[in-house]
Amino acid sequence: MNRYISEKLRLDVALLANFRCEYCRIHEDDLFFSYQIDHIISIKHGGETDLENLAYSCSMCNQNKGSNLGTYLPDSKRLVRLFHPRKDTWKTHFKVNNGEIIGKTKIGLTTIKVLDLNNVDRVILRQILTESGRY
Ligand SMILES: [Zn+2]
């Protein structure tokens, strides 16, 4: 399995994402650490290293996601998959209210839980960015 991500492929992913994290939607310019290329379906689960399976991700989302594919929600006995930036539309699964990301679907709720999108520091950052017109 090819893990190598060329500079061109990395740029293609960043351009596709408009340099925003494809999970929490924060722009790369607004975080200190450089962004990472996420394998949406990790290599160990058979994911390929191509544009269809790569997402632009902040380090927090990427670390929290790891190789996870989904989780169980408290009210669900079925495994629910994570948001897939190449197959799903962000606004279908999420909305933002005062910095907090709200899940509109089980996929949205699953992604918020696994990626810890509403960690208090992250909510405060999104509130500040919203107030300054950057989010
Ligand atoms: Zn993120």
Side-chain angles (χ1 to χ4, degrees):
M1 195 61 61
N2 184 15
R3 290 171 180 267
Y4 177 69
I5 301 170
S6 68
E7 282 304 308
K8 183 191 181 307
L9 185 54
R10 183 179 173 80
L11 181 61
D12 287 346
V13 174
L15 287 169
L16 200 58
N18 291 317
F19 296 90
R20 287 188 180 276
C21 174
E22 298 192 66
Y23 298 104
C24 71
R25 310 292 292 158
I26 291 179
H27 196 280
E28 183 176 42
D29 291 348
D30 294 319
L31 286 177
F32 179 75
F33 295 105
S34 60
Y35 277 23
Q36 302 169 348
I37 303 296
D38 168 57
H39 281 82
I40 300 167
I41 306 297
S42 68
I43 289 172
K44 78 176 181 186
H45 292 297
E48 301 284 342
T49 302
D50 59 25
L51 203 53
E52 292 305 305
N53 190 48
L54 297 175
Y56 211 51
S57 177
C58 73
S59 58
M60 287 175 285
C61 285
N62 198 26
Q63 276 180 18
N64 290 334
K65 180 175 171 286
S67 61
N68 286 299
L69 299 174
T71 194
Y72 293 91
L73 294 171
D75 61 343
S76 176
K77 289 184 169 65
R78 296 183 63 186
L79 184 69
V80 180
R81 70 172 174 88
L82 292 173
F83 173 73
H84 190 301
R86 292 292 160 268
K87 294 180 178 168
D88 301 322
T89 304
W90 202 88
K91 287 184 175 174
T92 300
H93 297 283
F94 308 98
K95 63 181 179 179
V96 181
N97 182 17
N98 195 28
E100 182 180 0
I101 295 176
I102 310 292
K104 294 165 69 176
T105 63
K106 286 189 174 182
I107 288 171
L109 293 168
T110 291
T111 305
I112 290 167
K113 178 183 172 185
V114 174
L115 275 62
D116 195 19
L117 293 178
N118 288 322
N119 170 299
V120 67
D121 293 335
R122 304 179 82 183
V123 172
I124 290 169
L125 174 61
R126 286 192 295 267
Q127 287 171 341
I128 292 167
L129 292 171
T130 299
E131 286 167 13
S132 60
R134 296 196 53 84
Y135 187 82

